[in-house]
Amino acid sequence: MKSALVTGVTGQDGSYLSELLLKEGYRVTGLKRRTSINNFERLTKVIHHENFTLVEGEVSDSGCVYDLVNKYQPDEIYNLAAQSHVGTSFSQPDYTFQVNTLGPLHFLEAIRRFSSNTKFYQASTSEMFGKNYTVEGESKFQDENTPLAPQSPYAVAKVAAHHLVRIYREAYDIFGCCGILFNHESERRGENFVTRKITKWLAEFSVWLSRHDLSHDSPSLVFDTDEIYIGGRTSTAQGFQFPKLRLGNLDSCRDWGHAKDYVRGMWMMMQHETPDDYVIATGETHSIREFLDEAFSLIDIYSWENYIVIDPEFYRPAEVDYLLGCPIKVKKALDWNTKIDFKNLVSSMVQSDIDGTQKLE
Ligand code: NDP
Ligand code: GDR
């Protein structure tokens, strides 16, 4: 039986990857950091599985990582743990580096010292490209050859880790792969990423409307929380008004796929004969505005502008404007493909949030 250690197991990707590995017959050890209260919401499908074990650990603590790798000597390590919010990395750059750069370095060193046959997967990111893209004829895209030009502390920390994996691969012959994954979302996406923030708001608004038996397309039903606050009211839904959705920059474009498809890509990379780095993306890009068009249309609202407030708080000091990944290498080498397209991604997220909100009512 193959064994795998998955860091960041309580996160979106960690939970889907654990399900996949258990299905593939692995014994899975999931690493979670200490929290004052358990956060196993995403692990309901695996937590009671006989081949799944949770261990507590902190990736920025070298001694902790060395002990874990030495003790378990897993066949494969998937390092998904990270401070994964780009916006937060501007206010917590030091912490972001400790987790996102020192974390992977500790695993590489541990493998070199104690477990040289362990394969290593590092969660690299399209954020590493920053404002850069490759131009070919009419098309603008990023692939494995596009130069990296990170635009945030998060991205710089990930670039450092990306190069460390390459260096350990070349210098010490460690089987290390980096998946350069473009944005991937799901019903389990963290609630402060833009897609889930939108679908969660939509679900709560939609359920609130049906509870009050109100029509769906009436902008007078929503209020700007700031104005109401000045008026002495709270920012929660009350009476016959609901707080508007507050967002930042709507013009950036992202290549959004479904996390289930992307964790399959991670695993496929690790089964290949030789370690390598691959872009994982859909090859399609959409602006935040297009995501709003698609999501709001699912609850029969076609002029979403009336329901949102542009709030400078959600703008970033530096932005990545355009991401469109070219996944040709991974398609050719690993026969990887997506199964869930943009429309299905948005509708499954909206539906799942509506179901979740109704259960809470
Ligand atoms: P999440 O934010 O959902 O999950 C991150 C996980 O890391 C959580 O389990 C979190 O624990 C854990 N973690 C954070 N800090 C530490 C720490 N110091 N020690 C141990 N564990 C820690 O991210 P995703 O699942 O979306 O992403 C997985 C990885 O892929 C990340 O590295 C991310 O940067 C990268 N990535 C993600 C993309 C995406 O679009 N989703 C695209 C490209 C790369 P807790 O639950 O306690 O917070
Ligand atoms: P991103 O995802 O930064 O691409 O990083 P996020 O969903 O946070 O932002 C996408 C774009 O939406 C704009 N935006 C907002 N973003 C957030 N979070 N909240 C808002 O209110 C809002 N309004 C507009 C952002 O400015 C940005 O342009 C994700 C993470 O999963 C990373 O870990 C991963 O590496 C990359 O995707 C690929």
Side-chain angles (χ1 to χ4, degrees):
M1 186 182 251
K2 274 202 203 174
S3 59
L5 174 68
V6 178
T7 77
V9 74
T10 54
Q12 169 186 262
D13 292 5
S15 63
Y16 282 120
L17 180 66
S18 298
E19 286 167 27
L20 175 87
L21 293 173
L22 289 170
K23 221 184 262 170
E24 293 295 331
Y26 281 67
R27 189 168 55 246
V28 177
T29 304
L31 182 77
K32 72 166 295 290
R33 60 175 162 174
R34 197 205 79 84
T35 44
S36 65
I37 193 161
N38 286 336
N39 57 343
F40 303 153
E41 295 86 358
R42 294 172 170 128
L43 295 177
T44 47
K45 290 194 178 162
V46 299
I47 197 134
H48 299 301
H49 195 289
E50 56 180 342
N51 294 327
F52 182 79
T53 314
L54 262 185
V55 294
E56 200 172 283
E58 168 57 55
V59 299
S60 62
D61 185 320
S62 59
C64 169
V65 172
Y66 292 179
D67 283 350
L68 276 168
V69 174
N70 200 8
K71 177 175 173 190
Y72 288 99
Q73 309 245 336
D75 295 308
E76 298 169 9
I77 295 176
Y78 294 85
N79 182 41
L80 310 181
Q83 189 301 91
S84 70
H85 199 275
V86 175
T88 300
S89 78
F90 286 96
S91 55
Q92 300 176 28
D94 186 321
Y95 172 70
T96 302
F97 267 73
Q98 288 179 38
V99 180
N100 297 8
T101 306
L102 291 183
L105 177 60
H106 295 154
F107 278 103
L108 290 165
E109 261 303 295
I111 291 170
R112 184 179 77 79
R113 289 169 191 228
F114 312 117
S115 190
S116 57
N117 289 327
T118 296
K119 295 180 177 182
F120 183 72
Y121 174 87
Q122 167 60 13
S124 290
T125 164
S126 51
E127 282 293 303
M128 300 190 307
F129 297 117
K131 286 193 181 295
N132 253 358
Y133 46 79
T134 299
V135 182
E136 262 178 33
E138 299 281 283
S139 51
K140 296 190 312 188
F141 60 85
Q142 291 95 3
D143 69 8
E144 294 80 2
N145 300 317
T146 306
L148 307 178
Q151 281 283 100
S152 62
Y154 167 83
V156 178
K158 286 282 188 178
V159 168
H162 186 76
H163 286 305
L164 282 167
V165 174
R166 176 181 55 75
I167 290 164
Y168 273 65
R169 189 164 63 207
E170 291 169 4
Y172 304 117
D173 209 19
I174 283 173
F175 189 110
C177 294
C178 294
I180 308 171
L181 270 56
F182 282 60
N183 297 53
H184 46 282
E185 321 291 308
S186 73
E187 302 82 323
R188 300 183 195 170
R189 183 57 143 154
E191 290 173 9
N192 61 358
F193 296 97
V194 75
T195 55
R196 185 78 197 285
K197 189 170 163 185
I198 294 168
T199 62
K200 193 111 203 318
W201 183 92
L202 267 180
E204 284 166 9
F205 183 51
S206 168
V207 170
W208 177 84
L209 283 173
S210 57
R211 192 158 29 100
H212 293 285
D213 208 15
L214 295 165
S215 132
H216 269 206
D217 210 347
S218 174
S220 64
L221 292 170
V222 286
F223 66 88
D224 182 340
T225 48
D226 272 359
E227 289 167 16
I228 297 296
Y229 183 70
I230 292 161
R233 288 170 58 179
T234 67
S235 62
T236 54
Q238 56 179 290
F240 287 98
Q241 279 196 312
F242 195 89
K244 287 188 181 182
L245 169 62
R246 306 185 82 83
L247 294 173
N249 175 23
L250 305 185
D251 294 317
S252 55
C253 290
R254 292 290 182 270
D255 178 332
W256 279 299
H258 196 290
K260 265 191 198 170
D261 285 334
Y262 286 44
V263 299
R264 195 163 17 84
M266 296 175 188
W267 175 72
M268 289 169 97
M269 269 177 228
M270 295 280 270
Q271 310 317 306
H272 199 54
E273 255 167 54
T274 44
D276 207 344
D277 304 333
Y278 299 90
V279 158
I280 302 252
T282 69
E284 226 182 79
T285 193
H286 297 275
S287 65
I288 316 295
R289 289 177 194 280
E290 286 167 337
F291 191 97
L292 286 161
D293 286 340
E294 188 62 34
F296 272 77
S297 73
L298 294 169
I299 64 159
D300 297 326
I301 293 179
Y302 301 95
S303 308
W304 48 259
E305 290 82 355
N306 296 321
Y307 296 83
I308 69 161
V309 177
I310 298 298
D311 186 340
E313 188 189 327
F314 298 108
Y315 272 80
R316 291 167 186 177
E319 181 61 283
V320 170
D321 304 310
Y322 176 85
L323 291 173
L324 190 161
C326 172
I328 284 179
K329 179 176 172 182
V330 71
K331 286 189 176 186
K332 278 195 183 152
L334 307 181
D335 202 21
W336 175 84
N337 235 314
T338 51
K339 293 183 180 156
I340 304 167
D341 66 10
F342 179 69
K343 269 182 180 291
N344 281 316
L345 169 70
V346 181
S347 64
S348 64
M349 289 178 73
V350 170
Q351 194 52 53
S352 160
D353 276 331
I354 289 178
D355 294 345
T357 309
Q358 276 165 343
K359 265 190 217 149
L360 289 176
E361 290 293 310

